[in-house]
Amino acid sequence: MEKIEGSYQEWDNIWDKNIEGGQKRQIFCQFTRHTPKTIYEFWQRCYFEDLLELIKGKNYTKFLELGAGKGTTSMYLSDEGIEDITMVDLSDSGFKLATENCKREGVTPPKMLIANCEKTGLADEAYDCIYNIGLLEHFENPKPTLQETFRLLKPGGMVFMPIVPAQPFLHSIRARLKYNPVSIPKYYIKTLLGINKKRNENNTMIRTQNDEHFYLKICKEIGFDKLKCIPYNPYWSVTSETSPMYQKSLNAYIAHHEKTKQKENYPLLQTKKGTELCLLLYGVK
Ligand SMILES: C[S@@+](CC[C@H](N)C(=O)[O-])C[C@H]1O[C@@H](n2cnc3c(N)ncnc32)[C@H](O)[C@@H]1O
């Protein structure tokens, strides 16, 4: 099956399923003001807290989320009182969800613009902070999106982009060994039988496995010479939501994350190479 750059049609299907199938809050709203009840809520809250800390004291006013989908980070920023936020996506299904979620949670909805993040038509150097969560890994060639980011960002503005690459099999096994060894036999059998692979082949979503050097090389070519790309997010999802271990491991992650706050070493989700679920591309133009 042909893979689609950016995978926005695939995302359109995902967001639409919610609209047709009723609320499945776990995936379709990951914003919460309470203790996270799902790993998705936890991750999204952590990303937002890291972003908020990195922009502290910078007097930024104009925010842009590229490939925003349902715009969880934008919801958090709006809830924080930030007024000028624009979300860009090629799929309006994500925006329908964003609108519903903002209404239900009492959050002022950001501006929403249907456009290609590689060519938005927005003005040069108009934004103080450009961010996205889980976008760049869906492009075989993320350069046009990063070039557009460079064009839209003011000098001194901040880039914040967690990237969620496909994981090498051994990394996944290592995470399971550490956090949930009981799941390994089932995972192994499914992988050996090709069930995990087949599942991936059935969709058209691109998920690349590029490393930090790949992204930094592109950034340098564009002129972003101060950006960093670091191993990010040690909190692997190693249990299914139906497992009795799910809540236990989530609570352990939340407690561990609270402890790391005492060190004030932001971004808090930075981790040792080999233990990461994501990369974080971030820094100032
Ligand atoms: C992982 S989702 C983002 C989820 C988001 N962080 C959230 O909280 O809902 C990636 C999004 O990028 C969008 N996308 C993919 N290619 C795009 C493109 N060329 N231009 C704009 N948006 C694009 C998809 O439609 C999808 O909504």
Side-chain angles (χ1 to χ4, degrees):
M1 210 179 276
E2 197 204 344
K3 299 269 177 189
I4 303 161
E5 193 77 352
S7 309
Y8 73 91
Q9 287 101 327
E10 194 73 34
W11 283 105
D12 218 18
N13 288 336
I14 293 176
W15 306 139
D16 262 350
K17 262 186 209 137
N18 175 66
I19 293 159
E20 288 161 12
Q23 288 290 327
K24 205 179 161 206
R25 199 185 147 93
Q26 173 147 302
I27 297 179
F28 300 111
C29 184
Q30 294 162 3
F31 167 91
T32 180
R33 296 192 189 88
H34 310 290
T35 306
K37 287 202 181 67
T38 68
I39 190 96
Y40 301 102
E41 287 181 352
F42 171 64
W43 287 333
Q44 293 280 2
R45 169 85 73 77
C46 292
Y47 301 149
F48 157 69
E49 286 178 0
D50 273 347
L51 172 59
L52 196 64
E53 200 60 37
L54 292 173
I55 62 174
K56 216 176 188 177
K58 289 198 182 287
N59 292 327
Y60 288 165
T61 56
K62 289 190 65 97
F63 289 73
L64 178 67
E65 180 165 15
L66 292 177
K70 63 190 182 313
T72 315
T73 311
S74 295
M75 274 183 84
Y76 271 116
L77 291 168
S78 177
D79 198 47
E80 208 48 40
I82 293 170
E83 286 169 11
D84 196 335
I85 305 171
T86 303
M87 291 167 40
V88 165
D89 204 294
L90 270 174
S91 148
D92 76 329
S93 312
F95 288 170
K96 283 182 197 147
L97 270 177
T99 307
E100 273 178 31
N101 289 340
C102 284
K103 195 171 167 199
R104 192 181 53 252
E105 302 291 334
V107 173
T108 307
K111 285 174 262 182
M112 297 178 204
L113 173 71
I114 296 183
N116 190 337
C117 61
E118 297 179 338
K119 203 169 189 274
T120 58
L122 295 165
D124 288 358
E125 299 189 354
Y127 295 91
D128 295 301
C129 178
I130 303 185
Y131 54 98
N132 51 56
I133 314 289
L135 176 70
L136 296 182
E137 70 274 16
H138 299 297
F139 291 90
E140 296 288 359
N141 179 13
K143 193 169 183 178
T145 300
L146 287 165
Q147 259 164 338
E148 183 69 346
T149 305
F150 189 80
R151 184 184 73 75
L152 296 170
L153 195 63
K154 292 182 192 172
M158 167 78 65
V159 171
F160 183 88
M161 301 184 175
I163 301 163
V164 194
Q167 286 299 338
F169 181 64
L170 280 177
H171 281 209
S172 165
I173 288 289
R174 198 184 304 158
R176 279 166 197 274
L177 257 178
K178 188 167 173 193
Y179 299 115
N180 187 14
V182 184
S183 70
I184 290 181
K186 199 168 153 194
Y187 182 71
Y188 235 123
I189 290 166
K190 275 193 176 169
T191 304
L192 285 175
L193 291 177
I195 295 173
N196 290 337
K197 196 170 169 217
K198 217 177 246 162
R199 221 185 265 154
N200 291 338
E201 277 166 1
N202 280 343
N203 66 38
T204 54
M205 194 174 290
I206 291 174
R207 187 178 293 277
T208 58
Q209 215 180 60
N210 296 313
D211 65 7
E212 64 277 22
H213 305 293
F214 172 84
Y215 290 104
L216 286 176
K217 183 170 175 279
I218 295 176
C219 288
K220 288 227 168 79
E221 285 164 7
I222 293 169
F224 270 132
D225 42 19
K226 285 184 260 170
L227 296 197
K228 291 182 186 168
C229 193
I230 60 167
Y232 193 62
N233 193 356
Y235 302 116
W236 288 67
S237 169
V238 286
T239 58
S240 76
E241 300 104 45
T242 48
S243 155
M245 285 291 289
Y246 185 77
Q247 207 55 48
K248 273 194 187 156
S249 65
L250 181 59
N251 291 344
Y253 285 167
I254 293 171
H256 180 267
H257 184 249
E258 280 305 310
K259 229 172 152 190
T260 61
K261 281 187 187 166
Q262 290 159 12
K263 292 190 191 148
E264 295 187 16
N265 188 17
Y266 286 89
L268 285 188
L269 255 51
Q270 60 191 299
T271 184
K272 277 193 211 130
K273 197 168 164 66
T275 65
E276 75 277 17
L277 196 55
C278 313
L279 296 169
L280 174 64
L281 181 66
Y282 77 110
V284 166
K285 179 178 171 185

